[in-house]
Amino acid sequence: MGVLAEELKPAGGAALDQVFIASGAGVVLAVVLLALGWGHRTGKLTLLTSVASLTTRGGRLGIPGWAALPSMVSLVSLLTALLGMYWDISLHITRGRDEGPLANIAHYPILIGLFGIFAAGVLALVLPLNEKPGPAPVRITRNWYVPAGGVLVAGAGFYALLGFPLDDVWHRIFGQDVTLWGPTHLMLIGGAGLSLVGMMVLEREGRVAGTSGDKVISYLRRGSMAGGLLVGLSVFQAEFDFGVPQFRLVNQPFLMALAAGCALVVARLWVGRGGALMAAAFYLLVRGGVSLLVGPVIGELTAAVPMYLAEALLVELVALALIRRPYAFAVVSGLVVGTAGFAAEYFWTGVAYRLPWTPDLVPEGVAMAVAGGLAGAVLGVLLAEGLAGRLPRPAVAHGMFAGALLVIAGCVANGLVATVPGDLSAKVEMGPDNNAVITLSRPVDDPAWVQVTAWQGGDLHVDPLEQTGATTYRTTSPMPVEGEWKTLIRVHDGRELSAIPIYLPKDPAIDAEELPAEPSFTRPAQSEKLILQRELKTDVPGWLWGTASLVVLVCSLALVVALGWGTQRIARATRERPDVRSRS
């Protein structure tokens, strides 16, 4: 039965019938969306007009229907996609690869959510009739103008959707990829998360074109968008949240500080007093709710949730002194997020995470967190000031934007660099209850972790080992060493990231034999990637991997640059009528 189950799980792309079914469903949905848009533009259908009118009834929203309806559709879609993403990650951790895209129930909310984001952008493009929507309209035809924010949301949604078919192509070329940071997976996550920037631009366009509206509703709308941006930027940390990171631990404080620096600075400047706390509260409601739904309710793994409350409070305190000097406010906020915020999250990981931070992390972790906090804060202040119509002159703004991106790229590159020690091995002596005594070939000085991980056997087992001597450790709970489990010792010390396999199942789909957990054995350390990503093909030319990754990188940069273009466009268009709320 185990062999049959593995044969039903292709390791190099989905079955073609499932590809055709999924593609056909996508085409049908796209045709329906285009038909609605065409009918609305030609006056043959009034459905969109009626629905948009309902969203603006009473005038309390303060924004026209071409901004209000897409905002609502986008919010629901983002929440749906987020639930699907965490559900999908949980399923891959506990069960491994899919039998096919249609056999994984979590793929459905992801696809629905991503299509909904794209549809929200399209709605913003087709809804305006016989008008130039907002202060920065983009001309499509002689009489058709669309809001810049709609272009950005549609583009981000399309980019995210494109990641789904490309993911199958990637699997066919390179083998199944079960890491969150696979290039095509980053397209799905990045497109969805960054669509919030487009929604912010669309909201600002709607505010200029709309009425005064209800100030409380405006505050809550902007606060939820900033909180949504914090949610989107935090998805990149999901492997750390679940306890199966496949990269060095210094990535986690960097990613946390980057997300907090960007989203919380935007929140305080754009939303107003208490905006950072409002964004953090919305984030906790959404991320905590998703973790509870995926974990206790659905019955899958429960992911830890970064708090960000300390960082939000720190940003609010900095604002008391520097809110009228936004760039100084951003720099100081980035610094405190990377230092005091690091200390708060250090404590929280010890309470809530399967892999808490350790003293080994501190020197490099603080440096990475400060860099991430500053880079995020710079991007955050540029976005907030752009939305407020107060960007500095283009040369300065472009320099700050490019500098922040270079810092982020350098930190990501640093976090991905890891070595495998050639002199490390482990002797494992199994006990009758599947506990073990593990003796390393040499001491490991103050490591980030020495632990046993077992996954993809129906659950997740993470056991930080108890050290009993200079080189000896013992497990604190029985290890699963049968069935479909993949069980390994993981050692992370500074830049060294390595693993020693204990048990690996037979996998006919990749022509791999079983590696049994013998009563006593000694095995050398090797790259974690060879075990955690066992399905990856090893005979693919390096240039092909590099070229494919470069294409994804260029497309990702194009999306980021487009978001910068949209922010600059709305800033120029509203320079004479700045948004004063952000300076309160």
Side-chain angles (χ1 to χ4, degrees):
M1 181 64 70
V3 172
L4 177 61
E6 282 302 305
E7 289 178 339
L8 292 174
K9 293 184 177 182
L16 289 178
D17 60 338
Q18 294 201 24
V19 173
F20 291 143
I21 293 172
S23 300
V27 170
V28 170
L29 289 173
V31 169
V32 171
L33 181 62
L34 290 174
L36 285 173
W38 176 83
H40 175 75
R41 299 293 307 174
T42 58
K44 297 181 181 297
L45 294 175
T46 60
L47 176 62
L48 294 184
T49 301
S50 301
V51 176
S53 297
L54 286 175
T55 63
T56 58
R57 181 172 294 177
R60 298 186 65 192
L61 292 180
I63 55 177
W66 51 259
L69 179 58
S71 296
M72 295 177 184
V73 172
S74 179
L75 175 61
V76 174
S77 300
L78 283 165
L79 294 176
T80 303
L82 183 73
L83 172 63
M85 286 180 184
Y86 274 88
W87 192 358
D88 186 51
I89 295 167
S90 176
L91 288 172
H92 283 300
I93 289 173
T94 58
R95 293 167 176 77
R97 61 185 187 265
D98 307 317
E99 291 84 354
L102 302 182
N104 183 339
I105 190 172
H107 285 178
Y108 292 90
I110 295 176
L111 282 169
I112 293 169
L114 295 182
F115 187 84
I117 295 169
F118 172 68
V122 172
L123 289 174
L125 301 182
V126 302
L127 278 171
L129 291 175
N130 305 316
E131 65 173 310
K132 293 183 178 181
V138 177
R139 183 176 176 179
I140 302 297
T141 65
R142 185 168 63 89
N143 296 316
W144 182 14
Y145 291 84
V146 300
V151 175
L152 298 179
V153 175
F158 178 78
Y159 174 78
L161 276 174
L162 188 61
F164 234 96
L166 289 183
D167 192 46
D168 188 70
V169 174
W170 196 276
H171 293 168
R172 293 179 186 278
I173 298 174
F174 302 111
Q176 200 84 12
D177 184 355
V178 292
T179 174
L180 177 73
W181 278 35
T184 50
H185 300 165
L186 292 180
M187 293 178 66
L188 300 168
I189 298 168
L194 293 178
S195 69
L196 267 301
V197 177
M199 289 309 305
M200 290 177 176
V201 173
L202 183 63
E203 197 274 350
R204 176 66 170 127
E205 292 176 294
R207 287 289 294 170
V208 173
T211 60
S212 58
D214 188 298
K215 291 183 179 180
V216 174
I217 290 177
S218 176
Y219 183 90
L220 293 175
R221 182 173 62 236
R222 290 187 171 192
S224 64
M225 286 184 179
L229 181 61
L230 184 58
V231 172
L233 294 176
S234 296
V235 176
F236 295 99
Q237 308 160 27
E239 283 187 353
F240 294 98
D241 297 342
F242 280 105
V244 196
Q246 300 190 45
F247 301 102
R248 293 202 300 135
L249 188 57
V250 293
N251 277 296
Q252 189 178 11
F254 161 70
L255 291 170
M256 283 184 172
L258 177 65
C262 181
L264 297 179
V265 165
V266 170
R268 183 57 183 88
L269 287 171
W270 189 50
V271 180
R273 289 189 184 93
L277 289 170
M278 165 67 185
F282 181 86
Y283 158 84
L284 285 174
L285 178 65
V286 171
R287 271 289 284 110
V290 167
S291 289
L292 290 175
L293 279 174
V294 173
V297 176
I298 296 176
E300 300 297 335
L301 286 181
T302 302
V305 180
M307 289 299 288
Y308 292 127
L309 284 176
E311 291 91 325
L313 181 59
L314 289 166
V315 169
E316 292 288 348
L317 291 174
V318 173
L320 294 177
L322 295 172
I323 192 61
R324 297 192 179 278
R325 298 170 58 193
Y327 296 99
F329 160 73
V331 170
V332 176
S333 293
L335 287 172
V336 298
V337 163
T339 51
F342 174 92
E345 297 296 347
Y346 189 106
F347 169 79
W348 179 241
T349 63
V351 174
Y353 278 72
R354 289 183 174 90
L355 293 176
W357 294 355
T358 61
D360 172 75
L361 173 73
V362 173
E364 189 180 3
V366 170
M368 288 278 280
V370 168
L374 286 171
V378 167
L379 294 177
V381 71
L382 289 175
L383 175 56
E385 291 296 282
L387 293 171
R390 290 189 293 259
L391 275 180
R393 63 181 185 273
V396 175
H398 294 168
M400 294 173 65
F401 185 65
L405 293 182
L406 286 174
V407 169
I408 293 170
C411 289
V412 169
N414 175 64
L416 298 183
V417 172
T419 61
V420 180
D423 61 344
L424 184 65
S425 62
K427 180 180 180 181
V428 179
E429 296 175 277
M430 299 290 296
D433 57 354
N434 284 345
N435 272 298
V437 174
I438 298 167
T439 304
L440 300 181
S441 59
R442 62 166 173 81
V444 180
D445 182 33
D446 196 19
W449 63 61
V450 178
Q451 45 103 338
V452 167
T453 290
W455 70 334
Q456 298 184 353
D459 202 348
L460 173 65
H461 173 90
V462 178
D463 180 15
L465 299 181
E466 178 184 347
Q467 188 167 8
T468 58
T471 60
T472 58
Y473 300 81
R474 66 184 179 193
T475 58
T476 63
S477 59
M479 301 178 295
V481 288
E482 60 185 8
E484 306 305 324
W485 287 95
K486 299 178 179 70
T487 306
L488 61 153
I489 304 165
R490 304 183 70 190
V491 181
H492 177 11
D493 181 24
R495 289 194 177 274
E496 293 182 352
L497 196 62
S498 58
I500 299 99
I502 295 175
Y503 170 80
L504 298 174
K506 183 175 182 178
D507 192 341
I510 58 174
D511 197 25
E513 295 298 321
E514 177 184 307
L515 182 67
E518 299 168 344
S520 179
F521 59 88
T522 299
R523 290 170 184 159
Q526 56 183 276
S527 170
E528 286 192 335
K529 187 174 182 179
L530 297 176
I531 307 172
L532 293 173
Q533 300 183 48
R534 196 183 185 201
E535 296 87 350
L536 288 183
K537 298 178 182 178
T538 58
D539 57 350
V540 179
W543 66 265
L544 183 57
W545 171 271
T547 301
S549 299
L550 182 62
V551 170
V552 174
L553 176 62
V554 170
C555 294
S556 301
L557 287 175
L559 174 61
V560 172
V561 171
L563 296 173
W565 162 84
T567 303
Q568 188 176 52
R569 186 179 181 89
I570 190 65
R572 287 199 305 265
T574 58
R575 187 173 297 276
E576 301 303 322
R577 38 186 172 182
D579 186 355
V580 298
R581 179 184 290 104
S582 60
R583 292 290 175 87
S584 60

